[in-house]
Amino acid sequence: MSNMKIVAYSDGTFNTKVAKGDYEVMLNPEKLQWNRSVQYNEETSIDSSAPASKYSKTLSEKLSFDLVIDCTGVVDSKRVNLPNEVAKLSKVIYDYNGDIHRPNYVIVNWGSGLAFKCVLTSFNLSYTFFKPDGTPLRAKISLEFSSSIDAATLAKKDDKKSPDMSHLVNLVEG
């Protein structure tokens, strides 16, 4: 299996790639967590003993995983500068992009089954291994992304069929 790749885009439709806007992880994550949630409003009538759940909305999907960046030279002898590796990843997923006035949109690609269109919501960095002089050699990065869908794609996906919008009633005289 190939390594996970994270690719940056400058638009919410994921059509325009950012120059030098991709990052290939050194070690694939051990696990992925993909969360999906639906929100309901609970409505209680006066003479009811229990509330009724009424659909409110489907929340954004969340994808989270931990990455390990190992710059000891054991994993990849060419990638041994931990600050540079963290800066490359940060430039793709976290740093402010002045051209679009926000951090980049990204697609997390892994194998043939994962192409998650999203934006970063959390970036936590922990240094886990050091040289004797205190220079960090290995880091664990916990990432969380929230799905991102442009309005046109969302409208097609929802395929709403509301009676007041899609059904016409004809009235005739008599």
Side-chain angles (χ1 to χ4, degrees):
M1 180 184 283
S2 62
N3 285 353
M4 176 185 280
K5 291 181 183 160
I6 303 172
V7 183
Y9 292 82
S10 61
D11 62 321
T13 56
F14 298 91
N15 291 321
T16 309
K17 286 186 179 180
V18 172
K20 295 184 182 180
D22 62 320
Y23 185 82
E24 183 173 338
V25 303
M26 295 178 90
L27 298 166
N28 285 327
E30 183 179 308
K31 69 175 187 168
L32 294 173
Q33 186 168 344
W34 194 332
N35 295 321
R36 295 174 173 181
S37 300
V38 177
Q39 185 175 2
Y40 292 92
N41 293 328
E42 292 189 351
E43 296 178 356
T44 308
S45 62
I46 296 172
D47 60 350
S48 176
S49 63
S53 295
K54 183 178 179 189
Y55 175 79
S56 174
K57 60 186 168 186
T58 301
L59 301 174
S60 295
E61 296 178 10
K62 306 284 186 200
L63 179 70
S64 58
F65 53 87
D66 294 337
L67 293 179
V68 174
I69 299 177
D70 185 321
C71 291
T72 60
V74 173
V75 176
D76 187 341
S77 61
K78 295 180 181 112
R79 295 170 72 179
V80 293
N81 187 322
L82 185 59
N84 282 355
E85 288 295 322
V86 171
K88 283 181 198 175
L89 177 60
S90 183
K91 182 176 170 60
V92 171
I93 63 174
Y94 176 76
D95 292 352
Y96 184 83
N97 181 340
D99 293 334
I100 60 173
H101 304 281
R102 54 164 292 142
N104 296 318
Y105 297 90
V106 296
I107 298 180
V108 177
N109 295 299
W110 191 16
S112 61
L114 179 66
F116 191 74
K117 295 178 178 182
C118 55
V119 292
L120 178 75
T121 56
S122 178
F123 183 113
N124 295 309
L125 174 65
S126 301
Y127 295 105
T128 59
F129 188 67
F130 303 87
K131 288 183 182 179
D133 68 357
T135 304
L137 291 173
R138 188 178 300 138
K140 178 181 171 187
I141 303 173
S142 298
L143 300 172
E144 182 178 43
F145 298 91
S146 181
S147 65
S148 179
I149 302 174
D150 65 281
T153 303
L154 184 59
K156 286 179 187 177
K157 180 183 170 205
D158 286 349
D159 194 26
K160 293 181 181 176
K161 295 191 177 15
S162 179
D164 57 335
M165 300 298 280
S166 61
H167 302 272
L168 295 175
V169 176
N170 290 327
L171 298 177
V172 292
E173 189 176 335

